[in-house]
């Protein structure tokens, strides 16, 4: 049998279908033990709360004395810290004590008159090879300039007003939620994901506060903030270099704290997106500071989680997670692309430390691995039929974090994890982003409908974060929204778009850059241009810019209609590069656009019908067409030309400005469509909040109905504790019942009396309103029940008896 290896350097080779216990020893660390003295390695971790909180520049909240602690290269001879008063009146340098293993810290606190909140400081490292480096603090809590001095920041000075949130609020999401404490279970999360820089025109933490009330009023109970780590300039947030400092250009630490404090005030949980897999290209100085970096992983500088002298590198990221939870009062964390950490030990150590020190906090991984099964004992094996890596969302055993025990017991548990004496079949995360669900749903929306595959995706997604699209699926491509994307095949744009000389030249450059055949590059560039064209047509339509080409007036003469159709082609389509043979007219565009809206509403409602966490990306809650482009400003890397070749647009300021919500001037009709989609999202949030079957419940497999001939699938969600039951019917086909060609649709319901609680074709949501089921439906569990159902729609029924 061919032996396959699960993605991770610390996992034993696994044969398909063969269970094997994960490696019990950390080979790399064992090698170090034989090569290095105790100066480099100490088995005891001692990860107490006070130890976690001792790193960096810490101002004692009572005495206001400042202490400094840094990890650098183990052979470093000495380290000093230089502190300059903010007003420039005084500058002092202090020698740090060498504690061994590359740790240097102050022996006693430095008084406030010498080191106070707002003062500047930097470290000077005298290395064993004779080099001398001046560096910023890797634990900097505030970094006003990207390189150079760090700023002393006293976390205790911020006046929080969310005490009741942590003590008495039942809306707080917690991994420890149960019937006794009444807290909200992680599975009940309804998440609104946003990027601070594009959520509002001003693009700051302060301006983001103005949007929070609307988010809460729509029924979301959590916000997920795309990374707020300090960076060089505007970007998505995934190029952070100061892992403990909030981005200055967004408002700094006080601005972020104020945003989070207000979110709690109005009942919103806060999930912070953090990046443990790489550093951005601008302003990173960790390589000069110590053995934090092992090389590149394609995204940037990758962390040395498992190489020589890696213990305090893992601790560094653990402390970053604790920073967002403790200093910023976040309720949960989302860890970006954890598989590219290339260290399941680091993943598990983060989970174990958080489980112990912040037991209410919940963890969401964006992992993306698959084909690994696991049993209750933590034994795992390769399984080609598994759509996830089941180790990721697999709770730790009590002894693995020593939860509820003494700190010394906890420290021993962490020591076991970090030395490899533990099962990597349990990584301890509460949920993960579900790539499989997204891809399966996306294929179905484009007509590649496989109901068996869909059913499997539904069942596998019950514990995962489900979404129609996230920032990645929008921005990692051309940046257009789903409604615009769906319009491309509707208008056959891939076949009808033409490439000009500039497009062909970009394809040639793309071919060289990607080392791919020119034909393949031309196909990519053509597909991108089709998407951009579709987006432009959709925005023009919804802005009212094309209304003058409307030929729907029954009193219009045939000559006038023909003239408008010709004008639409010559004035709109041909300048965009659409072939003259196209049959697209204004009225066809509008008709197809409405079909895409129906598909989007169907996808949104279907996603909300599956038990567990749901997420919507900013703007998608109302079907906004504002693009979300990839954007970032570089200092040290002249890559704008590279990115233009790849993306097809200027990824600097123009992409940022184009991505800001509110940048499109919608017509009244456009606003009405968005208002109706917003009403649907609000009702879906409300239905989820009121029906535990859609949150803590499970899908009942034997009640799933699949009609392959009509592309209809129905699922039954049930909460066995509350006996709450929801039955959802999804019609992927563009066929309505009843119609001239079909009678009522007949389908088997689970036993009971059912009432319709949501229909995406309702007039309230912009549908026809012709297919509402106004009567209760009685089922004995075997009879076929007639229902009305619009094409490409979702019906939700609730059992009432």
């Amino acid at each position: 049998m061919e032996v396959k290896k699960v993605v991770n350097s610390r996992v034993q080779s696994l044969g398909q279908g063969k269970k094997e216990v994960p490696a019990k020893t950390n080979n790399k660390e064992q090698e170090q033990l034989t090569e290095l003295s105790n100066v480099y390695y100490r088995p005891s971790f001692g990860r107490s709360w006070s130890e976690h909180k001792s790193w960096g520049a810490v101002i004692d909240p009572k005495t206001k004395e400042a202490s400094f602690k840094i990890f650098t290269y183990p052979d470093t001879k000495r380290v000093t810290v230089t502190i300059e008063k903010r007003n420039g009146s005084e500058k002092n340098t202090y020698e740090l004590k060498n504690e061994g293993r590359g740790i240097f810290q102050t022996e006693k606190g430095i008084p406030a008159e010498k080191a106070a909140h707002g003062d500047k400081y930097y470290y000077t490292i005298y290395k064993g090879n004779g080099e001398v480096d001046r560096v910023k603090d890797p634990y900097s809590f505030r970094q006003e300039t990207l390189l150079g001095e760090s700023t002393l920041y006293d976390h205790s000075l911020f006046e929080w007003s969310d005490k009741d949130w942590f003590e008495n609020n039942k809306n707080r999401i917690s991994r420890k939620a149960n019937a006794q404490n009444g807290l909200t279970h992680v599975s009940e999360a309804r998440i609104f994901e946003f990027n601070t820089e594009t959520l509002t025109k001003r693009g700051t933490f302060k301006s983001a506060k103005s949007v929070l009330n609307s988010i809460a009023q729509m029924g979301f109970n959590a916000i997920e903030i795309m990374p707020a780590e300090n960076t060089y300039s505007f970007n998505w947030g995934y190029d952070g270099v100061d892992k403990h400092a909030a981005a200055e250009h967004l408002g700094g630490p006080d601005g972020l704290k104020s945003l989070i404090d207000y979110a709690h005030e109005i009942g919103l949980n806060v999930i912070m997106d953090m990046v443990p897999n790489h550093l951005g290209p601008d302003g990173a100085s960790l390589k000069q500071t110590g053995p934090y970096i092992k090389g590149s992983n394609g995204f940037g500088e990758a962390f040395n989680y498992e190489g020589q002298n890696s213990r305090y590198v893992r601790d560094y990221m653990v402390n970053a997670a604790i920073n967002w939870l403790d200093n910023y009062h976040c309720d949960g964390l989302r860890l970006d692309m954890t598989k590219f950490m290339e260290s399941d030990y680091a993943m598990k150590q983060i989970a174990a430390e958080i489980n112990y020190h912040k037991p209410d906090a919940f963890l969401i991984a964006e992992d993306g691995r698959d084909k690994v099964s696991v049993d209750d004992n933590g034994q795992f094996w390769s399984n080609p039929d598994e759509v996830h890596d089941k180790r990721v969302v697999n709770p730790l055993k009590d002894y693995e974090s020593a939860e509820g025990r003494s700190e010394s017991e906890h420290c021993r548990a962490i020591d076991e994890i970090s030395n490899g004496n533990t099962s990597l079949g349990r990584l301890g995360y509460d949920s993960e982003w579900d790539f499989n669900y997204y891809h399966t749903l996306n294929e179905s929306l484009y007509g590649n409908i496989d109901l068996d595959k869909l059913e499997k995706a539904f069942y596998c997604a019950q514990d995962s974060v489900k979404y129609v699209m996230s920032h990645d699926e929008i921005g990692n491509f051309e940046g257009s929204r789903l409604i615009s994307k769906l319009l491309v095949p509707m208008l056959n744009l891939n076949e009808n778009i033409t490439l000009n000389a500039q497009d062909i030249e970009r394809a040639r450059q793309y071919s060289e850059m990607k080392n791919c055949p020119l034909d393949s590059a031309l196909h990519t560039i053509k597909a991108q241009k089709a998407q951009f064209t579709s987006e432009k047509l959709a925005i023009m339509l919804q802005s009212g810019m094309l209304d003058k080409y409307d030929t729907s007036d029954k009193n219009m003469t045939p000559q006038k209609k023909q003239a408008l159709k010709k004008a639409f082609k010559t004035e709109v389509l041909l300048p965009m590069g659409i072939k003259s043979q196209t049959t697209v007219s204004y009225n066809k565009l509008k008709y197809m656009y409405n079909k895409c809206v129906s598909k989007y509403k169907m996808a949104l409602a279907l996603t909300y019908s599956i038990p567990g966490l749901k997420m919507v990306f900013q703007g998608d809650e109302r079907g906004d067409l504002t693009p979300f482009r990839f954007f970032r400003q570089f200092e040290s890397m002249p890559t704008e030309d590279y990115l233009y070749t790849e993306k097809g647009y200027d990824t600097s300021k123009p992409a940022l400005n184009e991505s800001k919500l509110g940048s499109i001037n919608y017509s009244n009709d456009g606003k009405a469509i968005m208002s109706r989609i917003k009403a649907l999202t609000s009702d879906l949030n409300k239905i989820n909040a009121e029906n535990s079957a859609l949150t803590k419940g499970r899908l009942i497999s034997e009640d799933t109905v699949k009609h392959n001939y009509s592309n209809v699938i129905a699922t039954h969600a049930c909460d066995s504790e509350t006996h709450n039951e929801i039955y959802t019917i999804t019609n992927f086909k563009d066929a309505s019942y009843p119609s001239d060609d079909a009678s009522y649709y007949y389908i088997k319901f689970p036993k009971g009396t059912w009432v319709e609680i949501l229909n995406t074709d309702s007039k309230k949501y912009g549908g026809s309103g012709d297919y509402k089921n106004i009567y209760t439906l009685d089922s004995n569990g075997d009879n076929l029940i007639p229902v009305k159902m619009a094409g490409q729609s979702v019906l939700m029924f609730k059992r009432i008896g």
Side-chain angles (χ1 to χ4, degrees), residues 591-638:
Y591 175 79
M592 291 301 185
Y593 181 84
N594 290 331
K595 288 290 183 183
C596 293
V597 170
S598 295
K599 274 192 172 185
Y600 177 73
K601 292 186 294 184
M602 175 189 69
L604 187 64
L606 173 59
T607 300
Y608 267 82
S609 74
I610 302 167
L613 305 82
K614 286 89 180 179
M615 186 183 77
V616 175
F617 181 65
Q618 64 180 42
D620 283 349
E621 80 285 355
R622 59 181 184 268
D624 199 317
L625 295 175
T626 304
F628 185 68
R629 309 277 194 235
F630 177 84
F631 58 86
R632 70 151 296 165
Q633 186 174 30
F634 292 95
E635 179 188 47
S636 61
M637 296 177 65

Side-chain angles (χ1 to χ4, degrees), residues 282-503:
D282 296 315
S285 62
L286 284 182
K287 273 196 300 191
Q288 289 74 40
T289 305
Y292 293 87
I293 304 301
K294 70 174 183 179
S296 173
N297 63 3
F299 293 99
E301 293 181 350
F303 288 98
N304 171 35
Y305 287 127
E306 296 192 11
Q308 189 175 3
N309 306 310
S310 58
R311 166 193 164 178
Y312 293 106
V313 181
R314 292 192 296 271
D315 292 354
Y316 173 76
M317 197 54 66
V318 169
N319 289 340
I322 287 176
N323 173 59
W324 298 119
L325 296 171
D326 187 56
N327 292 325
Y328 286 90
H329 289 203
C330 292
D331 304 282
L333 299 174
R334 181 260 193 191
L335 277 70
D336 178 64
M337 287 311 294
T338 49
K339 72 176 180 180
F340 291 116
M341 292 171 66
E342 299 177 335
S343 173
D344 290 335
Y345 281 130
M347 279 186 70
K348 185 164 185 172
Q349 187 171 333
I350 291 171
E353 294 278 26
I354 298 304
N355 285 1
Y356 180 77
H357 291 296
K358 291 286 181 179
D360 283 323
F362 57 97
L363 298 174
I364 299 171
E366 183 194 27
D367 195 80
R369 288 177 288 184
D370 56 10
K371 296 180 175 56
V372 181
S373 293
V374 65
D375 63 18
D376 292 339
N377 295 319
Q379 294 184 341
F380 56 96
W381 62 97
S382 176
N383 181 355
D385 296 323
E386 179 56 63
V387 301
H388 296 133
D389 183 336
K390 301 297 285 186
R391 299 172 305 145
V392 176
V393 184
N394 190 10
L396 304 183
K397 299 294 185 182
D398 289 343
Y399 68 84
E400 290 179 296
S401 64
E403 192 172 321
R405 303 180 188 178
S406 69
E407 281 201 336
S408 62
E409 290 172 310
H410 164 66
C411 292
R412 285 196 295 272
I414 296 299
D415 195 38
E416 289 287 295
I417 290 171
S418 300
N419 283 296
N421 300 320
T422 185
S423 169
L424 286 178
R426 295 181 292 271
L427 299 186
Y429 288 72
D430 301 287
S431 187
E432 65 176 313
W433 277 27
D434 201 317
F435 293 165
N436 177 71
Y437 173 77
Y438 160 75
H439 288 296
T440 306
L441 173 64
N442 193 56
E443 290 173 8
S444 302
L445 294 176
Y446 282 97
N448 300 317
I449 301 168
D450 182 334
L451 296 186
D452 291 333
K453 190 175 180 181
L454 268 172
E455 180 188 15
K456 183 176 181 180
F458 295 167
Y459 283 91
C460 292
Q462 293 180 92
D463 297 313
S464 306
V465 179
K466 296 164 288 295
Y467 48 85
V468 177
M469 297 197 96
S470 75
H471 69 272
D472 276 331
E473 288 77 29
I474 301 169
N476 279 341
F477 298 93
E478 77 294 332
S480 63
R481 302 287 181 143
L482 179 59
I483 294 173
S484 298
K485 293 180 191 293
L486 292 172
L487 196 56
V488 172
M490 291 282 198
L491 300 179
N492 199 23
L493 286 180
N494 281 323
E495 297 301 322
N496 285 310
I497 204 76
T498 60
L499 299 181
N500 56 32
Q502 183 180 359
D503 298 326

Side-chain angles (χ1 to χ4, degrees), residues 530-674:
Q531 296 281 9
F532 288 130
T533 303
S534 172
E535 177 186 79
K536 187 174 181 179
L537 284 170
I539 292 174
M540 292 174 73
L541 175 70
Q542 292 304 92
S543 301
M545 297 170 64
L546 304 179
D547 289 353
K548 62 182 180 180
Y549 302 104
D550 188 357
T551 60
S552 61
D553 186 352
K554 294 181 179 179
N555 297 319
M556 187 178 291
T557 65
Q559 294 82 0
K560 177 66 172 176
K561 287 184 179 181
Q562 190 61 34
L564 285 176
K565 289 180 179 179
K566 183 177 180 180
F568 182 73
K569 183 174 290 188
T570 57
E571 296 171 6
V572 178
L573 301 183
L574 291 179
M576 290 184 182
I578 299 176
K579 295 177 182 177
S580 59
Q581 300 95 313
T582 180
T583 60
V584 176
S585 64
Y586 168 83
N587 294 81
K588 182 176 181 179
L589 170 63
K590 187 172 183 178
Y591 175 79
M592 291 301 185
Y593 181 84
N594 290 331
K595 288 290 183 183
C596 293
V597 170
S598 295
K599 274 192 172 185
Y600 177 73
K601 292 186 294 184
M602 175 189 69
L604 187 64
L606 173 59
T607 300
Y608 267 82
S609 74
I610 302 167
L613 305 82
K614 286 89 180 179
M615 186 183 77
V616 175
F617 181 65
Q618 64 180 42
D620 283 349
E621 80 285 355
R622 59 181 184 268
D624 199 317
L625 295 175
T626 304
F628 185 68
R629 309 277 194 235
F630 177 84
F631 58 86
R632 70 151 296 165
Q633 186 174 30
F634 292 95
E635 179 188 47
S636 61
M637 296 177 65
T639 57
E640 283 83 353
D641 291 341
Y642 173 95
L643 286 173
Y644 175 78
T645 299
E646 181 178 61
K647 302 290 186 181
Y649 55 84
D650 186 342
T651 59
S652 57
K653 264 289 176 64
L656 167 64
N657 292 333
E658 198 176 6
S659 301
K660 287 182 177 289
L661 292 178
S663 59
I664 298 175
N665 185 22
Y666 290 98
S667 66
N668 288 334
D669 286 344
K671 291 176 182 176
I673 289 176
M674 291 198 300

Side-chain angles (χ1 to χ4, degrees), residues 705 707 745-749 778-787:
V705 174
H707 292 168
Y745 195 86
Y746 288 83
I747 191 168
K748 186 183 292 187
F749 273 66
D778 293 307
S779 171
N780 61 16
D782 293 315
N783 57 322
L784 295 176
I785 306 294
V787 297

